[in-house]
Amino acid sequence: MDPQEALSFLRRLRSRRDKEESAKPILEVEQGGSLSGVLLAGEVALLYGEAKVGKSRAAVALLGWPKRGKAEGKGEGERSAASSREDVARSSSWRVWAPRELRFYLYHATETRYAHLKKYAKALGAEDISENILPFNDVEELERALQAIQTLAEGRGAPALAVVDSLIKLVPPQQSENEAKVMDAVMARLKRAISPPEREPLVGLVVIHHAAKGNGGPRGSGAIAANADHIFRLEPRREGEEDWGLLLYERGRGDVWREVEEVLRVRVRGLRRAGPAPRETRESKRASKRARNSYIQKARERFGGRTFSEEELYRFLAGEGHPNPRNLINIWLWRKELARAENENGKLLFKEE
């Protein structure tokens, strides 16, 4: 390689780096009065949750939120069209910057049906994205769809947001999501599709995936989570007689405060349950609550008023026999029974009872 060729090659690398650095934000969170970019163009986010928890509905809600390009804070008066009509979706701190005509839902026909997704969009006040709910048959067709979205985004000069339903449909036949090499290749293929060489990345992906049993993390090889830029977890919640899916920002490249980790709250069934819960269900919930209380009492006794690392707490809960310590820690943080100590490198501290 002669000197001129070497300089030209290094210039191309710098140009590619500069395009990456100037990637447009697609999903941002307001924290402390300022906006922090979470999902940028060219990045892949994983949205996982247990079966039937409402992942597709939450993804449609995310595409449709907020109605006017700005999230309404609580108590600001006017709410979104969906919230004022049915109270089916809530958000306070998060914003989606992709123009609504550049928000797409790409689904595999064996995962869901257009009729269901269109119904969700209507219920959530997002009828205008129904035309962008599109099927794909295989990975090659999905890649062509993402290339087409990239072209539209370039013409508009704005970023695009696409949901892919679901990750399992991108695994080649006779191969498994439990194989690290396979999932490394699948995730790399997605990244290449939204990061075309010598072009500005303008598409961000949210890929739907299933949870391992007990909602203990994304199902399959650890390579899936390792290759994702961001991870969102959908958890079931109950408020009175209503069932909600709570979409949480679990981890990723964004630096998101625990206070604003809730991305969206979506009513997953949309029907008010009539009558009291069955006795067996009530008994089970009481037993579950007693078990959770016993763990927090033991942890309070163990750590007292001092600070400690999340790993210390994880090991303690695992030693006490809890099946999913990480999930329990996240619940305590969400309920503000546990907090991160200031100026102590993210160490934890139990709040006073």
Side-chain angles (χ1 to χ4, degrees), residues 27-48:
L27 187 61
E28 289 189 315
V29 62
E30 189 168 9
Q31 45 189 33
S34 62
L35 287 171
S36 171
V38 177
L39 177 64
L40 303 179
E43 293 183 339
V44 176
L46 199 68
L47 191 167
Y48 80 94

Side-chain angles (χ1 to χ4, degrees), residues 11 16 19 50 127 144 197 242 268 277 302 343 352:
R11 274 197 298 270
R16 199 166 75 205
K19 285 185 172 65
E50 296 174 315
E127 297 95 328
R144 290 188 65 190
E242 297 288 357
V268 292
R302 169 68 175 80
N343 305 320
E352 293 183 6

Side-chain angles (χ1 to χ4, degrees), residues 130-197:
S130 296
E131 286 301 305
N132 288 348
I133 299 175
L134 303 169
F136 69 91
N137 286 321
D138 49 41
V139 181
E140 288 73 22
E141 195 167 46
L142 173 64
E143 287 178 329
R144 290 188 65 190
L146 293 174
Q147 289 166 5
I149 294 170
Q150 169 77 20
T151 300
L152 291 178
E154 288 172 346
R156 184 70 156 58
L161 176 60
V163 168
V164 176
D165 191 358
S166 67
L167 184 64
I168 189 63
K169 297 305 171 185
L170 310 182
V171 179
Q174 279 73 58
Q175 293 187 333
S176 168
E177 63 180 359
N178 295 313
E179 300 174 49
K181 284 186 178 180
V182 171
M183 298 318 297
D184 274 334
V186 168
M187 297 297 285
R189 193 168 183 176
L190 281 174
K191 289 281 187 73
R192 287 195 299 271
I194 60 172
S195 299

